[in-house]
Amino acid sequence: MDDNLTFGERIALLRKRKGLSQTEVAKLTKSSREAIGKYERGESIPNVFTSKSIADALGISLDELVKGYKTNGNRK
């Protein structure tokens, strides 16, 4: 996967690869579709628990989801 993607772009790419809609990811993570959209657009960053739920819904590890990011959420 391209390490130059933003966190939101990574979520969107992985979601699409799994053939899931934002609504489906929202249901799997007990979030709203609006929240998933905000994460994908970079308007908001999920907390660690929601990030783990998103990773689980996408069938990847949390490490894979956040790969390439510093602890403050910024790209390296």
Side-chain angles (χ1 to χ4, degrees):
M1 177 173 305
D2 185 350
D3 288 339
N4 292 320
L5 296 174
T6 66
F7 185 71
E9 289 169 340
R10 185 180 301 270
I11 293 171
L13 177 66
L14 292 166
R15 175 182 61 76
K16 290 172 186 174
R17 284 186 180 171
K18 290 285 284 187
L20 297 171
S21 68
Q22 288 180 345
T23 301
E24 290 168 321
V25 172
K27 286 180 184 178
L28 290 169
T29 61
K30 296 182 173 61
S31 299
S32 68
R33 187 209 48 80
E34 291 81 8
I36 300 300
K38 284 183 178 185
Y39 303 150
E40 290 185 3
R41 291 188 302 274
E43 295 173 3
S44 181
I45 297 176
N47 66 36
V48 70
F49 302 108
T50 302
S51 295
K52 174 67 169 114
S53 293
I54 292 170
D56 289 346
L58 299 175
I60 60 170
S61 70
L62 181 57
D63 288 342
E64 179 70 18
L65 182 63
V66 299
K67 184 179 177 183
Y69 292 85
K70 296 179 183 176
T71 56
N72 67 1
N74 294 325
R75 286 190 286 182
K76 288 184 181 176

